[in-house]
Amino acid sequence: MVYHPGIALHPGIGSATDVLDNVPEEHPGDVLLFQRCRWCATAMYNRLLCPVCAGSDLLTEASAGTGVVRHSTVIHRNTPAARNVSLIEMTEGFTVRGRVMGSPATIHSGDRVQLSTAQDPVRRQPVFQLVDGSYGGWN
């Protein structure tokens, strides 16, 4: 049995049953929610345990919705037209997989994006739109 200090200090916190099921009332509308570990402050998206310290004491926060495209792939299967799937590095420090609106050929690593819709009704992924200019500091 592994001892985690959070169990003794916070016995009721960290149940994995409702990680992102209940949207806190202070985050209404179309926002992208993520978790932050209370022990090591690592930001993550849609996890049950912290990938750094394996803690289960996660705090749900709302993202500002801005990020940078880290990788983009064009997919041609199971769809009538080509679509992209991109890895977006958010300003809070976590990475999320989503779709960027626009022509798949015009989306490149380093492009800045803004959240458009928190959940695509078909693929259930966040949808982003391009913001003018690329962020040169991360290229």
Side-chain angles (χ1 to χ4, degrees), residues 15-92:
S15 66
T17 57
D18 60 345
V19 174
L20 283 178
D21 293 338
N22 300 325
V23 177
E25 291 181 12
E26 64 266 12
H27 305 302
D30 205 16
V31 297
L32 184 63
L33 298 177
F34 70 99
Q35 298 97 359
R36 186 173 303 278
C37 179
R38 292 185 194 217
W39 290 100
C40 67
T42 300
M44 68 214 80
Y45 181 72
N46 206 13
R47 296 284 185 108
L48 296 175
L49 296 173
C50 175
V52 175
C53 70
S56 62
D57 191 6
L58 306 177
L59 175 67
T60 301
E61 297 181 13
S63 171
T66 58
V68 175
V69 175
R70 287 287 110 218
H71 180 74
S72 185
T73 301
V74 178
I75 297 179
H76 297 277
R77 64 183 151 92
N78 298 334
T79 181
R83 63 182 174 90
N84 73 5
V85 174
S86 300
L87 291 177
I88 310 295
E89 185 177 338
M90 304 301 289
T91 56
E92 292 84 6

